[in-house]
Amino acid sequence: MEGNCLLDSSNWACPLSARNPTDFPHSARDFGNLAEYDSSVANDPRALLVLFAEAREPAEAGMRAAVRERHAQVVESLNRRYTDVLRSPWEPAGEEAMRAVVALPELDDAATIVRARAARISEMSFEMVLRMHPVALRLGLGCAEGKEAVALQRAREAAIAAARARLFAQVRGFETLGAARGSDAAVGGAWSIAGALTRSWTDRQAQFVRWVLRDGVLDWRRDPPRFVKERRRKEIAIAFGVSPSVVTESLQSADVTAFRHALWSAAWLLAGAWQPSVLEPA
């Protein structure tokens, strides 16, 4: 039955101890299907953005192998689903860390392309966060002009800065490419707000949030950009065998609407840090 923890591989928030390694999520229906964006910028981008994700190692030694296996399965799925933005796939970058390289759009690309790519990058990052829940992640974003090693170093420094400040994410490098002063902090702050909202969720809340957003969050291929319509509460209730009121109360308690708007802000500021003109009126 769809929605059952042990049978539905798209149901990602079941306790790790209740699952076999092969039960970790593989669903291609999370955060929308693969978008048909122009991927030509992935061949020779002007700038690179490295995403550096660190998982918090669980205290229980017996859980560490399960968390690592879960991380590997999540990464495998993301690498299949986000080929439109990944210049190189998610891969290990240390004991509990992963990194991926993203191709940023050219400065003369249309605003819709820049915004859509920023939306995809943001959705990919937060899909990883939601798939890994309740395991906490910390993100560092590093940008550099055509130099992957520099971007990776900045991403690592950003992750260290996030840890010291007890934030979900920090950003380094956009200001070196001409973004307004304060842009790195603004993007990191918006991403941290979105990430902080997920920290207090229960497994059930995380399940419902991910289900309600299975068709995606941000539709920015159109002008003006808009939110993707959420899945119906009744559909979620049937899938999980609960009443619609339980779903509604759980989503309200999780502030799913605030999460959607926080993700919008995170992606919007990311687009503006790279190409400020995309935020200006047409």
Side-chain angles (χ1 to χ4, degrees), residues 236-267:
I236 302 171
I238 293 173
F240 284 89
V242 299
S243 68
S245 63
V246 169
V247 175
T248 298
E249 291 172 6
S250 182
L251 291 174
Q252 288 176 344
S253 178
D255 282 335
V256 65
T257 300
F259 175 71
R260 294 174 80 226
H261 281 81
L263 185 55
W264 179 294
S265 298

Side-chain angles (χ1 to χ4, degrees), residues 131-188:
R131 282 175 173 269
M132 287 297 296
H133 183 86
V135 177
L137 294 181
R138 180 167 285 114
L139 296 182
L141 286 74
C143 185
E145 187 172 0
K147 297 178 180 178
E148 183 176 327
V150 175
L152 176 58
Q153 180 60 31
R154 288 174 178 168
R156 289 180 183 273
E157 292 172 355
I160 292 172
R164 288 174 176 168
R166 296 187 177 182
L167 293 172
F168 166 72
Q170 286 281 270
V171 179
R172 296 288 185 273
F174 280 108
E175 294 174 26
T176 66
L177 298 179
R181 296 179 69 177
S183 294
D184 289 349
V187 177

Side-chain angles (χ1 to χ4, degrees), residues 97-274:
M98 303 293 292
R99 62 97 171 173
V101 182
V102 171
L104 291 171
E106 299 287 355
L107 286 175
D108 58 355
D109 277 336
T112 52
I113 293 178
V114 177
R115 287 197 296 255
R117 195 167 295 270
R120 288 288 284 170
I121 293 169
S122 302
E123 287 190 346
M124 174 180 67
S125 301
F126 282 96
E127 183 174 335
M128 171 181 278
V129 171
L130 293 182
R131 282 175 173 269
M132 287 297 296
H133 183 86
V135 177
L137 294 181
R138 180 167 285 114
L139 296 182
L141 286 74
C143 185
E145 187 172 0
K147 297 178 180 178
E148 183 176 327
V150 175
L152 176 58
Q153 180 60 31
R154 288 174 178 168
R156 289 180 183 273
E157 292 172 355
I160 292 172
R164 288 174 176 168
R166 296 187 177 182
L167 293 172
F168 166 72
Q170 286 281 270
V171 179
R172 296 288 185 273
F174 280 108
E175 294 174 26
T176 66
L177 298 179
R181 296 179 69 177
S183 294
D184 289 349
V187 177
W191 281 54
S192 288
I193 291 171
L197 287 171
T198 70
R199 292 279 174 89
S200 62
W201 289 350
T202 65
D203 284 352
R204 178 50 62 93
Q205 286 176 318
Q207 286 175 323
F208 289 164
V209 170
R210 184 165 169 214
W211 191 285
V212 81
L213 301 179
R214 289 179 85 179
D215 293 327
V217 181
L218 309 171
D219 184 0
W220 286 5
R221 290 170 291 174
R222 295 181 175 86
D223 198 5
R226 64 197 71 181
F227 283 113
V228 175
K229 187 176 181 179
E230 293 181 357
R231 289 287 185 95
R232 296 176 59 193
R233 272 49 169 176
K234 184 176 181 180
E235 177 186 351
I236 302 171
I238 293 173
F240 284 89
V242 299
S243 68
S245 63
V246 169
V247 175
T248 298
E249 291 172 6
S250 182
L251 291 174
Q252 288 176 344
S253 178
D255 282 335
V256 65
T257 300
F259 175 71
R260 294 174 80 226
H261 281 81
L263 185 55
W264 179 294
S265 298
W268 192 260
L269 288 174
L270 178 63
W274 172 235

Side-chain angles (χ1 to χ4, degrees), residues 3-117:
N4 183 290
C5 171
L6 298 179
L7 298 180
D8 182 9
S9 64
S10 70
N11 191 332
W12 51 275
C14 304
L16 289 172
S17 58
R19 310 188 63 144
N20 294 321
T22 56
D23 288 329
F24 290 121
H26 282 282
S27 172
R29 293 179 290 177
D30 291 285
F31 278 48
N33 294 322
L34 286 175
E36 296 178 356
Y37 299 143
D38 177 13
S39 60
S40 60
V41 296
N43 297 325
D44 186 25
R46 177 184 181 275
L48 301 174
L49 179 66
V50 170
L51 305 172
F52 185 84
E54 246 180 338
R56 182 181 298 173
E57 186 174 85
E60 302 86 352
M63 295 292 291
R64 293 172 188 169
V67 169
R68 290 169 185 166
E69 182 67 22
R70 184 176 202 160
H71 204 175
Q73 297 289 351
V74 169
V75 162
E76 180 184 348
S77 179
L78 294 178
N79 284 340
R80 291 198 306 266
R81 287 179 23 77
Y82 290 92
T83 56
D84 54 318
V85 294
L86 286 172
R87 184 175 184 270
S88 64
W90 287 95
E91 58 186 19
E95 186 68 19
E96 301 293 336
M98 303 293 292
R99 62 97 171 173
V101 182
V102 171
L104 291 171
E106 299 287 355
L107 286 175
D108 58 355
D109 277 336
T112 52
I113 293 178
V114 177
R115 287 197 296 255
R117 195 167 295 270

